[in-house]
């Protein structure tokens, strides 16, 4: 069916691919929409799907949060589910996005993603190469798809519990943002359309890296002044990179910029902030990541964000420090000194 028709059709059939915390949370949100009737959450592992369907909950990632009646968990042939969907939501990590877009490249209904980050660059590619944003990956492998991103300040557990949340629907096609507003905008969730997909995706990627730095700052008990400085200067880094890549400055003052940064850098549910806290405790990066049990995208995208910034000629000293820390080139004890040692300059 065409995009224009899908944008105004309610109730609609929504397929969420990826049964992690965020995919599950958005499936729950869609299934509790007053106009919604059919949401399918696809899990790769059949045993996992059967367990969630039986328990009527995802007790691995969102324990104790019951599924609404409209939500059904499925597995097996994903293309059979795609064939009956009006909207496809990819709840997979950034690392899996390319393969899913290739598989869905001939899909006639809109496909949107929830992941935040830059695509990692394989170790064997040429020096100086940089990773792509999600919409750039889509342009490369599935340019005909009607696509977009759903982003903004949000923790999966709060979305699943129907706590108030505001998100941004960024689109490569206008009808996609309209469709996302129709599918998710309700009493607990507000969805705002935005056509600056570059700015939205840069904000979603960089804030994870900055949250690691802020977690380190908090873990070392450097105080609220230091945290405020990191968040503020981090926002400046994010904005510089975004504008250099074609984003609008004002996007970074909104939900997907300042809003997502503040939440991820200060919220106790932030996995990326937790990485910084654990590093401050003396944990190795491997120990920190293993203890989370979830993906912390900032760990995997930090190097790629820095590579993209260097390619664009943008200085990002906080990001540089995080990368050096993650690569083991800078001990925790020297990380803050490394930041504070920069030459004085105008703000």
């Amino acid at each position: 069916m065409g995009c224009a028709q899908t944008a105004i059709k309610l109730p609609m059939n929504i397929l969420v691919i990826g049964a992690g915390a965020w995919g599950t949370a958005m499936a729950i949100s869609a299934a509790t929409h007053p106009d919604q009737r059919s949401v399918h959450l696809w899990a790769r592992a059949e045993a996992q799907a059967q367990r969630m369907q039986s328990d009527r909950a995802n007790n691995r990632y969102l324990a104790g949060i019951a599924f609404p009646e409209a939500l059904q968990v499925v597995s097996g042939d994903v293309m059979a589910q795609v064939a009956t969907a009006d909207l496809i939501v990819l709840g997979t990590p950034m690392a899996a996005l390319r393969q899913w877009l290739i598989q869905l490249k001939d899909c006639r209904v809109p496909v949107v993603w929830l992941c935040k980050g830059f695509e990692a660059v394989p170790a064997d590619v040429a020096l100086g190469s940089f990773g792509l944003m999600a919409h750039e990956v889509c342009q490369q492998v599935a340019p005909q798809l009607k696509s977009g991103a759903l982003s903004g300040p949000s923790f999966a557990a709060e979305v699943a519990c129907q706590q108030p949340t505001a998100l941004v629907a960024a689109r490569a096609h206008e009808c996609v943002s309209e469709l996302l507003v129709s599918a998710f905008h309700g009493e607990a969730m507000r969805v705002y359309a935005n056509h600056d997909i570059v700015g939205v995706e840069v904000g979603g990627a960089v804030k994870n890296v900055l949250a690691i730095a802020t977690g380190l700052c908090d873990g070392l008990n450097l105080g609220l002044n230091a945290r405020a400085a990191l968040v503020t200067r981090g926002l400046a880094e994010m904005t510089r990179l975004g504008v250099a890549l074609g984003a609008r400055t004002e996007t970074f003052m909104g939900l997907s910029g300042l809003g997502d940064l503040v939440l991820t850098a200060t919220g106790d549910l932030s996995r990326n902030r937790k990485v910084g806290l654990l590093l401050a405790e003396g944990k190795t990066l491997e120990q920190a990541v293993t203890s989370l049990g979830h993906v912390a995208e900032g760990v995997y995208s930090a190097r790629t964000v820095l590579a993209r910034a260097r390619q664009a000629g943008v200085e990002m000293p906080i990001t540089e420090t995080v990368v050096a820390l993650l690569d083991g080139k800078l001990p925790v004890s020297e990380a803050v000194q490394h930041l504070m040692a920069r030459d004085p300059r105008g703000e």
Side-chain angles (χ1 to χ4, degrees):
M1 65 189 66
C3 187
Q5 289 77 19
T6 306
I8 60 173
K9 176 186 175 183
L10 285 173
M12 67 180 75
N13 296 321
I14 297 176
L15 172 64
V16 180
I17 296 175
W22 193 218
T24 301
M26 291 306 295
I28 291 173
S29 177
T32 55
H33 193 284
D35 296 323
Q36 193 48 253
R37 294 296 181 272
S38 176
V39 178
H40 289 86
L41 175 63
W42 184 87
R44 181 180 300 276
E46 185 175 354
Q48 179 193 9
Q50 292 177 347
R51 184 165 53 251
M52 291 195 315
Q53 182 69 6
S54 175
D55 294 344
R56 301 301 299 156
N58 187 341
N59 287 319
R60 179 179 179 183
Y61 293 113
L62 296 171
I65 302 176
F67 289 168
E69 291 184 7
L71 175 57
Q72 302 299 316
V73 186
V74 296
S75 188
D77 182 6
V78 69
M79 297 311 292
Q81 299 292 331
V82 166
T84 61
D86 300 308
L87 171 65
I88 299 167
V89 179
L90 292 175
T92 64
M94 186 70 189
L97 179 67
R98 177 177 292 267
Q99 289 306 314
W100 275 109
L101 290 176
I102 291 173
Q103 187 169 353
L104 297 171
K105 63 183 178 64
D106 296 321
C107 188
R108 298 181 61 195
V109 300
V111 175
V112 301
W113 44 82
L114 307 176
C115 55
K116 301 174 181 179
F118 287 81
E119 188 177 46
V121 178
D124 58 351
V125 302
L127 185 65
S129 297
F130 55 87
L132 302 179
M133 287 176 275
H135 77 278
E136 292 173 324
V137 176
C138 188
Q139 289 171 356
Q140 188 178 83
V141 302
Q144 70 275 23
L145 269 185
K146 299 178 180 68
S147 60
L150 191 58
S151 189
S154 49
F155 288 136
E158 293 189 1
V159 169
C161 288
Q162 298 295 292
Q163 292 182 268
T165 302
L167 297 179
V168 174
R171 82 280 186 174
H173 303 85
E174 185 169 356
C175 61
V176 175
S177 57
E178 295 174 354
L179 183 60
L180 287 171
V181 171
S182 297
F184 291 101
H185 191 91
E187 292 183 3
M189 178 173 289
R190 319 304 287 176
V191 181
Y192 298 89
N194 188 314
H195 72 264
D196 182 14
I197 196 167
V198 174
V200 168
E201 292 196 335
V202 169
V206 178
K207 59 93 181 181
N208 286 328
V209 182
L210 300 175
I212 295 175
T214 310
L216 180 70
C217 170
D218 289 346
L220 294 174
N221 296 312
L222 299 181
L224 298 178
N225 292 348
R227 180 202 282 180
L230 270 177
V231 170
T232 305
R233 297 312 303 160
L235 179 62
E237 282 193 13
M238 176 192 295
T239 304
R240 285 198 300 270
L241 177 60
V243 170
L245 297 178
R248 297 182 302 161
T249 302
E250 55 266 33
T251 298
F252 300 100
M253 297 300 108
L255 291 167
S256 60
L258 178 61
D260 212 354
L261 173 59
V262 170
L263 180 75
T264 311
T266 65
D268 290 337
L269 294 176
S270 168
R271 296 191 292 271
N272 293 284
R273 179 174 183 270
K274 183 66 173 177
V275 169
L277 290 170
L278 291 171
L279 292 175
E281 291 177 5
K283 299 287 194 302
T284 67
L285 178 59
E286 182 179 1
Q287 289 171 333
V289 171
T290 300
S291 70
L292 293 178
H294 297 257
V295 174
E297 289 283 8
V299 172
Y300 305 104
S301 63
R303 298 172 189 85
T304 312
V305 168
L306 182 57
R308 193 74 187 258
R310 287 173 173 170
Q311 184 272 338
V314 175
E315 286 194 1
M316 299 187 71
I318 299 174
T319 302
E320 287 182 1
T321 299
V322 171
V323 171
L325 186 66
L326 296 178
D327 286 346
K329 298 178 180 178
L330 186 69
V332 170
S333 59
E334 297 180 17
V336 176
Q337 180 182 356
H338 189 264
L339 282 174
M340 301 304 292
R342 287 179 59 79
D343 295 334
R345 62 182 65 190
E347 184 180 29

